[in-house]
């Protein structure tokens, strides 16, 4: 199909044309197919029809608090036909990154969740650190805190038990220049209903980077590793793949930088005004966050799939 003007409303024949031009559709989850525990109306039908039409569907999320299996259970409960191997969440992708890309031989000091521990164990990596870790003693004790000599990487994801002592231990491990620093994602806030928000994993990654005076390698969107991880397992052609997301700075930027077609849905974080602002800026960095197309909701893909 001919190159479309950036940020076009997707509907009618254009929607059908776009779907005909792709074999794989990659969906972000929150703000796209569900909001919290509420499914976006029509989203399950869209995904089930895409599959019936022979498209491969994948779910890519920066959320590090669930395993692929937990996501597959949630998808099934909400009416989506999905299996764990279609889910690429940062708990799984960061374990794969440490295993396949870094070839890690040793343990991980984990600032993260039980789900992250499970995904590490699935690929044969042991961890220390999950769960609460409260401070005691004074500064000299903190600097001399006992370390596990087998730890070769610090992995930072969402950790509701994040504490000064965890930050300190990360610093002590990372004093060894051969110890790797990996973060699941850099989302700074988790938006909640009613305009409220809580601090996201990006705050924890930033704290560890600041203490260790090192940059983390980040696995989650917009890092291209999320796409590479799917492509490595399923042999995707970027030019025949579509990324659907609600955030310009993660989902759409990932899609653009990996050469995918991109679709913004307005049921989540970013607005059409945000996308148009980037488009009008003329700045190349911001242009990478302009989607090819937008819809008010993924349900707008239904007519193109039902005909
Ligand atoms: Mg989202």
């Amino acid at each position: 199909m001919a190159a479309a003007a950036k940020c076009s409303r997707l509907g009618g024949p254009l929607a059908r044309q776009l779907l005909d031009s792709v074999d794989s559709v990659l969906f972000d989850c929150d703000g796209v197919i569900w909001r919290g525990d509420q499914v976006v109306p029509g989203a399950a039908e869209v995904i089930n029809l895409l599959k019936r039409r022979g498209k491969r569907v994948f779910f890519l999320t920066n959320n590090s608090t669930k395993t692929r299996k937990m996501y597959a259970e949630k998808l099934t409960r909400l009416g989506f036909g999905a299996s764990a191997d279609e889910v690429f969440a940062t708990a799984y992708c960061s374990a794969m990154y440490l295993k396949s890309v870094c070839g890690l031989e040793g343990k991980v000091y984990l600032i993260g969740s039980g789900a992250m521990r499970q995904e590490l164990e699935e690929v044969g990596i042991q961890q220390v650190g999950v769960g609460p870790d409260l401070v005691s003693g004074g500064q000299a004790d903190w600097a001399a805190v006992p370390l596990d000599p087998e730890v070769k990487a610090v992995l930072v994801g969402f950790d509701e038990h994040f504490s000064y002592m965890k930050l300190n231990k990360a610093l002590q491990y990372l004093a060894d220049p051969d110890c790797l620093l990996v973060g699941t994602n850099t989302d700074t806030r988790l938006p909640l209903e009613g305009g409220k928000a809580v601090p996201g994993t990006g705050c924890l990654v930033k704290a560890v980077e600041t203490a260790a005076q090192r940059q983390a390698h980040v696995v989650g969107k917009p890092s291209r590793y999320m796409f590479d991880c799917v492509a490595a397992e399923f042999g995707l052609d970027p030019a025949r793949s579509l990324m659907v997301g609600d955030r310009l700075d993660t989902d759409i930027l990932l899609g653009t930088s990996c050469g995918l077609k991109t679709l913004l849905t307005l049921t989540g974080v970013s607005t059409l005004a945000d996308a148009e602002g980037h488009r009008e800026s003329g700045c190349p960095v911001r242009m990478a966050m302009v989607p090819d197309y937008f819809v008010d909701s993924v349900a707008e893909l239904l007519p193109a799939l039902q005909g």
Side-chain angles (χ1 to χ4, degrees), residues 102-125:
C102 306
L104 182 76
E105 291 190 14
K107 293 184 190 170
V108 163
Y109 177 62
L110 177 60
I111 294 178
S113 58
M116 291 178 69
R117 176 180 56 197
Q118 281 180 46
E119 295 289 27
L120 286 168
E121 285 170 355
E122 282 284 317
V123 301
I125 297 176

Side-chain angles (χ1 to χ4, degrees), residues 6-114:
K6 279 282 202 179
C7 205
S8 316
R9 177 176 281 279
L10 187 68
L14 194 56
R16 196 169 300 218
Q17 225 178 358
L18 173 64
L19 294 176
D20 283 346
S21 74
V22 299
D23 306 316
S24 303
V25 187
L26 291 73
F27 287 90
D28 171 49
C29 295
D30 208 29
V32 176
I33 59 168
W34 62 55
R35 279 172 294 208
D37 259 330
Q38 297 281 25
V39 62
V40 167
E45 288 91 328
V46 165
I47 280 161
N48 298 339
L49 280 169
L50 280 169
K51 289 187 175 182
R52 209 170 304 159
R53 290 288 171 100
K55 310 292 179 192
R56 291 183 301 186
V57 173
F58 302 98
F59 304 93
L60 273 65
T61 172
N62 275 0
N63 186 322
S64 64
T65 64
K66 291 187 179 70
T67 62
R68 319 176 91 177
K69 211 165 146 245
M70 289 155 85
Y71 268 113
E73 282 161 11
K74 176 171 180 176
L75 283 157
T76 305
R77 177 164 51 84
L78 295 180
F80 299 88
S83 61
D85 61 355
E86 294 167 325
V87 176
F88 290 80
T90 51
Y92 170 74
C93 292
S94 55
M96 282 304 289
Y97 179 79
L98 286 166
K99 179 83 180 170
S100 312
V101 180
C102 306
L104 182 76
E105 291 190 14
K107 293 184 190 170
V108 163
Y109 177 62
L110 177 60
I111 294 178
S113 58

Side-chain angles (χ1 to χ4, degrees), residues 99-210:
K99 179 83 180 170
S100 312
V101 180
C102 306
L104 182 76
E105 291 190 14
K107 293 184 190 170
V108 163
Y109 177 62
L110 177 60
I111 294 178
S113 58
M116 291 178 69
R117 176 180 56 197
Q118 281 180 46
E119 295 289 27
L120 286 168
E121 285 170 355
E122 282 284 317
V123 301
I125 297 176
Q126 286 187 290
Q127 63 76 45
V128 292
V130 80
D133 191 356
L134 299 179
V135 77
S136 61
Q139 290 175 358
D141 305 303
W142 306 338
V145 72
L147 300 178
D148 185 329
E150 289 179 53
V151 166
K152 303 292 181 215
V154 172
L155 173 59
V156 186
F158 186 76
D159 188 342
E160 66 202 53
H161 300 296
F162 187 75
S163 64
Y164 183 83
M165 187 47 95
K166 291 192 176 198
L167 184 57
N168 174 57
K169 282 186 184 164
L171 185 163
Q172 305 307 333
Y173 280 119
L174 291 164
D176 173 356
D178 293 331
C179 184
L180 303 169
L181 173 56
V182 176
T184 54
N185 64 294
T186 52
D187 300 50
T188 51
R189 288 177 169 204
L190 305 176
L192 303 177
E193 290 296 319
K196 296 216 167 207
V198 292
T201 305
C203 304
L204 314 188
V205 173
K206 197 61 104 183
V208 174
E209 287 181 331
T210 307

Side-chain angles (χ1 to χ4, degrees), residues 28-32 221 245-247 251 269:
D28 171 49
C29 295
D30 208 29
V32 176
K221 297 172 286 183
D246 71 308
R247 282 187 73 136
D251 306 319
V269 171

